[in-house]
Amino acid sequence: LLAPLTTPQIGMTTPAIAVAGATHARGFGLTIKGPDLGVAWGAWQQDAPWEVAGAGAGCIAMRTEIFREIGAFEPMRIYGLEDIELSIRLWTLGYDIFVVPYSVVPHWFKAKGGAGVGWDDYLYNTLRTALLHFDGKKAERIMNHFHEYDAFAPAMTKLMTGDFMARRRQIDAIRQRSTEDYCRRFDLPI
């Protein structure tokens, strides 16, 4: 898992994530599957490490200096989408994310999704991720996907009255690659 990190361009690695108790079931990195910023596990591609759109926070490896350079994890509400936000930010700041398929970490998945994260918190995290990174039609599609939910207006209010705008300016000032390029590179339907 650590060997690819000796390449300066590779900023994060992730193992194959197996289902504990059924380790033949494995996911290889994450991809974004639509304007809700929901994710799906990737399929095996080859024996050697390859680039992916995202890594699940259950197991990632990064060099400490890169983690600090990019600003660590965003201040999300509880948890949820922190891994996708970190992946998008890392990639747009000029680093690649690789899955290392021969490194396997079993994970106990909960029978019911969400792991105790409330909808209001998840929506806030999703909107924060969307507005930190996307503009134009992509941001509009994400907002349109959520705007009819009762929690939308309170989440947007919390977002806009917090540190969001200053954080967006910080990220934009050091961004090296666009989210348009990110979506094209990984064929993301946002």
Side-chain angles (χ1 to χ4, degrees):
L1 191 59
L2 299 178
L5 292 175
T6 61
T7 302
Q9 184 69 29
I10 298 175
M12 182 175 6
T13 57
T14 187
I17 300 294
V19 176
T23 56
H24 63 281
R26 296 178 181 178
F28 299 90
L30 296 175
T31 188
I32 299 170
K33 59 183 184 174
D36 64 347
L37 300 185
V39 297
W41 291 103
W44 180 87
Q45 293 183 16
Q46 61 190 27
D47 289 336
W50 70 87
E51 188 181 11
V52 292
C59 186
I60 59 173
M62 295 178 75
R63 292 186 301 279
T64 303
E65 67 272 11
I66 291 176
F67 188 65
R68 288 182 180 142
E69 172 191 330
I70 69 165
F73 284 105
E74 276 299 300
M76 299 290 201
R77 308 235 2 232
I78 304 181
Y79 61 93
L81 234 67
E82 72 283 351
D83 43 14
I84 291 303
E85 189 287 322
L86 183 71
S87 296
I88 295 168
R89 183 164 27 107
L90 181 74
W91 195 91
T92 61
L93 295 180
Y95 295 101
D96 298 328
I97 304 160
F98 272 65
V99 65
V100 182
Y102 46 81
S103 177
V104 180
V105 172
H107 181 69
W108 288 105
F109 289 91
K110 295 187 183 319
K112 183 179 178 184
V117 178
W119 171 248
D120 293 358
D121 295 325
Y122 184 81
L123 180 58
Y124 173 88
N125 293 353
T126 302
L127 295 175
R128 183 175 181 95
T129 299
L131 294 176
L132 279 174
H133 299 293
F134 296 101
D135 295 307
K137 294 286 186 193
K138 291 190 184 329
E140 185 178 329
R141 277 194 289 277
I142 296 166
M143 295 298 112
N144 285 341
H145 184 83
F146 293 108
H147 82 279
E148 291 189 23
Y149 287 96
D150 291 340
F152 181 81
M156 285 297 291
T157 299
K158 286 178 186 167
L159 185 65
M160 293 305 184
T161 57
D163 70 340
F164 161 74
M165 294 302 289
R167 184 66 174 136
R168 171 69 194 237
R169 284 190 297 274
Q170 288 174 333
I171 292 170
D172 283 347
I174 58 175
R175 199 179 302 271
Q176 309 229 344
R177 302 189 273 198
S178 73
T179 51
E180 286 293 327
D181 289 341
Y182 176 73
C183 290
R184 272 192 295 276
R185 168 71 182 95
F186 299 104
D187 195 25
L188 303 177
I190 300 173

